[in-house]
């Protein structure tokens, strides 16, 4: 009964947090652009966000294993929401660099701990299924926030949308104070990552860089290169988040029907193919349709890979593992965003798309080899079966 109550509070707070995040993330690039910040400098803002998050995940995720993942999870939720509030209240580029860094820190620590807390509240269920359904839920809520933001922005402005999203997000940490989750605590706060984590972070870097080239600029590309209205960009942005929900929801059925290997192969082939095909589409609707297809297929691999590595880790290493995963993904995203911003500043959208597709192919080769190696590693020790 206590676990059910905690899970209900978790999911209720996640609904509000994701709705607020969706509003802020949709409005953010337009908010910067409205204040005469160019593509290259917008790329720097997003890169600062990703890099700060990367190093916070690397350094503080192991500390979360010591203090308890649920404690770090609650703090991260508050930090992210407050950062969004600061972003909307500030009026200068240097301050946006600061708020972007804090938002990156909060987001990274949140991603490093949320699956650990969720896993502790849902014992006895297959983890790939749990994670994929959770992703489907919060991406649906983020998509709803994006739609809401797109239709409110022409009437109240992008700054007001950011502030409204921040206000909604701030309700989540107030609810999460009451979530009581069991924590598996490590005896040490800082440990050298094992080889499994290091190899996984290498994949995460590639898998963060590949979509990072375009993802942060997608709405700007739709508006500036394809002439889309604010309402249409909001619709596509929201549909992209809904497609993540669709892709994540298909993980369990696909694994049951065609197994893990073929599922990953189909997902990566579809993602790389759709990305490359975008470079041949001069019109809005084909480009947007391929972007949505790519978004859906790119959401399939991560829950599978997370679950595969969790089976090979001890419970006291979970936060550190997710922290290194976030570190790799954020470093990759920062590199991709910086390169993407510069390519778009020089009108090189086609080169950006082909580079992104190539990185998806490279990521698939890397993870295929890595998962074969992981299966040969000995399983983690069960602390309940160890001699006292």
């Amino acid at each position: 009964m206590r676990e059910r109550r905690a899970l209900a509070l978790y999911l209720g707070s996640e609904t509000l947090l994701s709705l607020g995040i969706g509003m802020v993330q949709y409005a953010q690039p337009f908010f910067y652009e409205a204040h005469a910040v160019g593509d290259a400098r917008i790329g720097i803002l997003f890169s600062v966000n990703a890099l700060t998050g990367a190093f916070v995940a690397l350094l503080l995720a192991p500390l979360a294993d010591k203090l308890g993942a649920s404690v770090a999870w609650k703090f991260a939720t508050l930090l992210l929401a407050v950062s969004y509030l600061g972003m909307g209240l500030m009026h200068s580029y240097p301050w946006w660099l600061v708020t972007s860094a804090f938002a990156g820190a909060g987001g990274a620590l949140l991603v490093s701990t949320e699956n650990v807390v969720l896993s502790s509240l849902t014992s006895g269920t297959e983890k790939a299924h749990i994670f994929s359904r959770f992703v489907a839920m919060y991406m649906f809520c983020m998509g709803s926030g994006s739609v809401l933001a797109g239709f409110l922005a022409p009437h109240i402005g992008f700054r007001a949308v950011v502030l409204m999203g921040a206000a909604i997000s701030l309700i989540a940490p107030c609810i999460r104070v009451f979530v009581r989750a069991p924590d598996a605590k490590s005896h040490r706060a800082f440990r050298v990552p094992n080889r499994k984590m290091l190899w996984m972070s290498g994949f995460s870097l590639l898998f963060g860089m590949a979509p990072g080239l375009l993802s942060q600029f997608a709405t700007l590309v739709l508006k500036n290169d394809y002439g889309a209205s604010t309402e249409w960009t909001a619709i596509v942005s929201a549909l992209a988040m809904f497609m993540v929900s669709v892709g994540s929801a298909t993980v369990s059925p696909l694994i049951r029907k065609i197994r893990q290997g073929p599922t990953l192969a189909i997902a990566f082939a579809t993602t790389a193919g759709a990305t490359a095909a975008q470079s041949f589409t001069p019109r809005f609707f084909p480009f947007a349709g391929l972007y949505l297809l790519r978004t859906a297929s790119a959401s399939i691999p991560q829950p599978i890979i997370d679950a595969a590595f969790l089976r090979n880790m001890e419970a006291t290493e979970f936060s550190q593992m997710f922290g290194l995963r976030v570190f790799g993904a954020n470093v990759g995203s920062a590199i991709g965003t910086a390169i993407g911003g510069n390519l778009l500043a020089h009108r090189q959208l086609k080169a950006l798309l082909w580079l992104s597709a190539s990185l998806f192919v490279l990521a698939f080769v890397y993870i295929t080899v890595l998962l074969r190696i992981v299966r040969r590693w000995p399983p983690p020790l069960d602390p309940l079966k160890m001699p006292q």
Side-chain angles (χ1 to χ4, degrees):
M1 182 63 70
R2 185 174 297 176
E3 276 192 359
R4 287 185 180 180
R5 178 177 179 273
L7 184 60
L9 290 172
Y10 184 121
L11 297 179
S13 65
E14 187 63 40
T15 299
L16 293 168
L17 180 65
S18 299
L19 183 68
I21 289 173
M23 294 180 69
V24 173
Q25 288 190 349
Y26 172 78
Q28 202 171 353
F30 296 114
F31 172 62
Y32 294 145
E33 187 183 52
H35 290 81
V37 181
D39 287 343
R41 296 181 84 197
I42 291 174
I44 291 172
L45 284 168
F46 286 121
S47 294
V48 166
N49 177 282
L51 282 174
T52 305
F55 287 100
V56 165
L58 179 67
L59 297 174
L60 295 189
L63 184 61
D65 283 324
K66 170 69 174 176
L67 299 177
S70 65
V71 176
W73 170 72
K74 293 170 186 177
F75 172 74
T77 306
L78 177 62
L79 180 60
L80 182 62
V82 170
S83 300
Y84 285 158
L85 180 63
M87 182 190 305
L89 294 174
M90 300 304 174
H91 292 77
S92 66
Y93 188 78
W95 279 112
W96 289 328
L97 286 170
V98 173
T99 56
S100 184
F102 277 108
L109 193 56
L110 183 65
V111 175
S112 299
T113 53
E114 62 184 0
N115 279 344
V116 181
V117 177
L118 180 63
S119 180
S120 73
L121 295 174
T122 51
S123 56
T125 310
E126 198 259 315
K127 293 189 186 301
H129 174 78
I130 297 169
F131 297 155
S132 61
R133 290 304 170 90
F134 177 63
V135 171
M137 185 206 78
Y138 76 65
M139 291 305 296
F140 179 85
C141 295
M142 286 175 65
S144 301
S146 185
V147 171
L148 181 60
F151 282 89
L152 286 175
H155 305 287
I156 65 175
F158 291 111
R159 184 184 297 277
V161 170
V162 171
L163 290 171
M164 186 180 296
I168 294 171
S169 299
L170 278 167
I171 302 173
C174 300
I175 297 174
R176 290 185 172 181
V177 169
F178 301 100
V179 175
R180 300 287 183 265
D183 288 319
K185 296 183 180 181
S186 169
H187 295 296
R188 290 179 294 170
F190 299 102
R191 294 159 294 165
V192 176
N194 63 42
R195 58 178 178 166
K196 302 173 189 177
M197 298 181 192
L198 293 173
W199 282 109
M200 183 186 186
S201 67
F203 164 76
S204 297
L205 188 146
L206 289 171
F207 200 59
M209 189 175 174
L213 287 160
L214 177 65
S215 296
Q216 301 290 1
F217 304 100
T219 52
L220 291 176
V221 167
L222 291 172
K223 179 184 175 185
N224 298 332
D225 292 58
Y226 290 87
S229 65
T230 301
E231 288 80 7
W232 269 111
T233 57
I235 290 170
V236 173
S237 178
L239 285 174
M241 296 180 190
F242 295 148
M243 293 304 286
V244 172
S245 296
V246 171
S248 299
T250 64
V251 170
S252 291
L254 283 172
I255 290 177
R256 284 196 294 268
K257 190 166 186 178
I258 62 174
R259 294 175 294 120
Q260 177 178 291
T263 297
L264 287 174
I266 291 170
F268 275 102
T270 303
T271 305
T275 303
Q278 283 182 282
S279 65
F280 299 106
T281 54
R283 296 182 180 177
F284 168 77
F285 284 107
F287 184 90
L290 288 167
Y291 177 68
L292 295 176
L293 175 61
R294 158 192 143 136
T295 304
S297 57
S299 68
I300 293 174
Q302 197 64 67
I304 299 173
I305 295 162
D306 284 348
F309 275 85
L310 280 177
R311 286 192 294 269
N312 285 275
M313 299 285 178
E314 296 180 28
T316 55
E317 297 176 320
F318 286 174
S319 293
Q320 185 178 25
M321 186 203 81
F322 280 113
L324 270 173
R325 193 256 273 177
V326 173
F327 172 77
N330 280 26
V331 170
S333 179
I335 295 170
T337 301
I339 295 172
N342 278 286
L343 287 172
L344 290 176
H346 291 88
R347 312 297 296 171
Q348 295 294 318
L349 177 60
K350 183 172 289 190
L352 182 156
L353 292 168
W354 276 100
L355 177 58
S356 179
S358 300
L359 287 168
F360 277 120
V361 172
L362 183 59
F364 171 66
V365 173
Y366 183 102
I367 197 60
T368 301
V369 174
L370 180 57
L371 287 177
R372 288 178 182 174
I373 295 171
V374 166
R375 292 190 192 103
R376 296 197 292 267
W377 285 338
L381 295 174
D382 186 343
L384 297 179
K385 297 179 181 179
M386 291 176 65
Q388 301 298 315

